[in-house]
Amino acid sequence: MPLIRFFPLFSFLALFVLAGCGGKSIEGGETQPPPAQRNAPRAGGVPVSPDTPATAPRSGGMPIPTTASSVKVQPGWAALMERLRKDSMDNAVVSAYFAGLPEYSPTPMSVKIKELYKIAFLPKPPRDPNAPPPSTIYKGIVTKANVERCKEFMVENAAALQSMHTLYGLPKEVITALLFVETRLGTYLGNDQAFWSLACMAAADAPAKVSRGITDLDIGPAREPWLQSKLTEKSNWAYKELKAMMQFCSTQALDPRGMPGSVYGAIGICQFMPSNLTAYGVDGDGDGRVDLFQPADAIHSAANYLSSHGWKDGLAVDGRRNVIKRYNNSTRYANTILALAESIRTGVLLSGPPTE
C-alpha cells in the first residue's frame, strides 16, 4: 500500500510493522500478492460534493444519500466524529461522510493486533533444513499469461505511459509491473471499504473497543500495557490516514465511501495510502482531478513517487531495488517487479530479479 501500503490487498498487503514503507505505507514484512481476478469489477472515485444530492450506486461502495441529514449516523462513530471536528475538520464534511456509514466493527484493528501479537509473543516454527530455499520473487507472477496481460495494458494505456516516461523517466515496463503486482492492473482493488476500515481502526483506541475481536489471544494483566500501547499507536496512525483521505476527497470532489481498498486503507490501482495522495498524486489524464482508480492518474502517481524517492537513469539493480522498496519495504516485492518488468521488455521469463 506510497506509503501509499494494505494490506492484503487484502490479504495481500498485509503486515505493517515498520512505518514509512512506501506508497502503501505498509508497515513492513514480506507480503504476498492477491490472486488475479481479471473479471472483478472496476471501481473508482465518484465525484460527489457533501452538499450535492446523488443517488446512483457505485462499484465497491454504497449509494450516496440524497442529503447528509436524511441518513442516520451510527452511534458508534460519535466520539471519532467529535475528534475530527475538534481537529478543524469541516462539520459538513464530517457529517456527510459518516452519514449511512456501516456501524463500527473491531475487525480491522483486531486483524492488526493479531498480526502484532504473533510477532511479539509466538515462536516462529523451525525451518525444515531439507526444504528448498525460499523463492526470491512471488510465485505465480512472472508467467506468460501475466506478461501478455501487461503488454495489453501497455497498448491500452500507451499515451499515459509515454507521457509518464517523458515526465519522470520511469521505464514503462516497471510501472506496469508495479501496477500488476499491486492490483492486477486495477482488476483487484480489495475487498474492504477503505474509509470504513480506517474509521474503525481510528476509533479502536482502547481494549474495550476490540475485546470481542481478540478473544482467542492470551491478553492477561501482564500484556495489557502492550495491548494499549499498540492500540494507541495504530489508532493514531489510522486517524491520520482517515483525516488525510477526508481532506483530499473533499478538495477533489470525490466520495471516499465509494472507494474499495485494502483492510488498512490503501486505495487505487497503485494502492496509495491517503497521506501520500496530496504529496504524490498526479492528474495524469488532465481532467482536473486526481483519481487513482483511473489508469493515467495511477500511472503518473506511482512514477512520481518512485522518481521522488531516487529513481534515475543508470541505476544498478541494487539501486532500483532499493527505490522500489520505498514503495513497499519487501525485497521479494521489489525483486518481483524487476523480474516482471524485464520479462515484459525481453519476452524471456525470469525466475529471479535481473542481475544487471
Side-chain angles (χ1 to χ4, degrees):
M1 116 130 168
L3 265 190
I4 302 178
R5 15 318 260 283
F6 235 151
F7 336 29
L9 253 175
F10 339 132
S11 46
F12 123 57
L13 294 171
L15 241 57
F16 63 105
V17 184
L18 305 172
C21 306
K24 291 181 294 288
S25 262
I26 301 185
E27 299 176 49
E30 295 287 313
T31 60
Q32 183 67 22
Q37 294 190 9
R38 290 196 52 192
N39 296 320
R42 282 185 178 270
V46 176
V48 168
S49 165
D51 298 320
T52 300
T55 56
R58 302 173 312 288
S59 175
M62 70 185 76
I64 298 299
T66 54
T67 65
S69 60
S70 67
V71 178
K72 180 181 179 182
V73 174
Q74 297 293 332
W77 300 122
L80 178 58
M81 292 172 67
E82 183 62 20
R83 181 182 179 185
L84 288 162
R85 292 181 179 116
K86 289 182 176 179
D87 200 13
S88 303
M89 283 297 297
D90 183 85
N91 182 60
V93 171
V94 173
S95 297
Y97 287 172
F98 279 86
L101 196 68
E103 182 58 285
Y104 164 81
S105 168
T107 298
M109 183 64 87
S110 297
V111 170
K112 173 47 56 185
I113 292 299
K114 289 180 180 181
E115 290 174 356
L116 298 174
Y117 181 94
K118 181 178 180 180
I119 293 169
F121 301 115
L122 300 184
K124 292 183 179 180
R127 175 171 171 74
D128 181 356
N130 298 316
S135 173
T136 59
I137 65 174
Y138 293 143
K139 295 180 180 178
I141 299 299
V142 183
T143 67
K144 181 178 179 181
N146 291 343
V147 167
E148 289 304 312
R149 176 64 191 111
C150 287
K151 290 181 178 180
E152 292 171 8
F153 178 87
M154 293 177 68
V155 171
E156 294 163 2
N157 297 279
L161 286 164
Q162 181 58 51
S163 62
M164 173 281 297
H165 178 70
T166 300
L167 286 170
Y168 302 105
L170 267 293
K172 302 170 188 177
E173 295 85 358
V174 168
I175 294 299
T176 300
L178 184 150
L179 298 182
F180 185 88
V181 172
E182 286 293 343
T183 60
R184 299 301 188 271
L185 304 173
T187 61
Y188 185 76
L189 295 163
N191 295 325
D192 298 279
Q193 190 189 80
F195 180 79
W196 176 82
S197 294
L198 285 171
C200 288
M201 291 190 73
D205 56 359
K209 297 286 188 68
V210 296
S211 59
R212 59 190 172 93
I214 58 171
T215 56
D216 54 332
L217 301 186
D218 181 14
I219 303 292
R223 291 174 179 172
E224 287 177 356
W226 173 87
L227 176 59
Q228 181 60 72
S229 173
K230 293 304 177 184
L231 290 174
T232 299
E233 175 189 350
K234 299 308 176 186
S235 65
N236 284 338
W237 170 85
Y239 177 81
K240 180 193 73 171
E241 296 294 342
L242 178 73
K243 185 178 177 183
M245 176 179 275
M246 294 175 69
Q247 291 172 327
F248 180 83
C249 288
S250 179
T251 61
Q252 296 290 317
L254 297 170
D255 193 316
R257 296 167 301 178
M259 295 180 179
S262 75
V263 69
Y264 301 132
I267 61 170
I269 299 171
C270 55
Q271 288 295 283
F272 268 30
M273 288 306 297
S275 58
N276 285 286
L277 291 169
T278 299
Y280 303 106
V282 177
D283 174 16
D285 56 16
D287 69 350
R289 177 183 292 114
V290 177
D291 183 351
L292 299 187
F293 294 93
Q294 301 303 318
D297 291 9
I299 287 167
H300 280 72
S301 297
N304 184 31
Y305 185 89
L306 294 179
S307 175
S308 298
H309 285 82
W311 189 286
K312 58 184 177 182
D313 288 341
L315 279 179
V317 171
D318 284 346
R320 284 176 272 159
R321 181 186 295 112
N322 288 336
V323 173
I324 295 173
K325 287 176 67 176
R326 298 293 299 274
Y327 205 93
N328 178 348
N329 191 21
S330 163
T331 298
R332 280 203 299 162
Y333 172 89
N335 284 344
T336 303
I337 289 172
L338 292 174
L340 180 56
E342 187 69 5
S343 299
I344 296 168
R345 188 181 71 84
T346 65
V348 178
L349 301 183
L350 298 188
S351 58
T355 57
E356 59 182 35

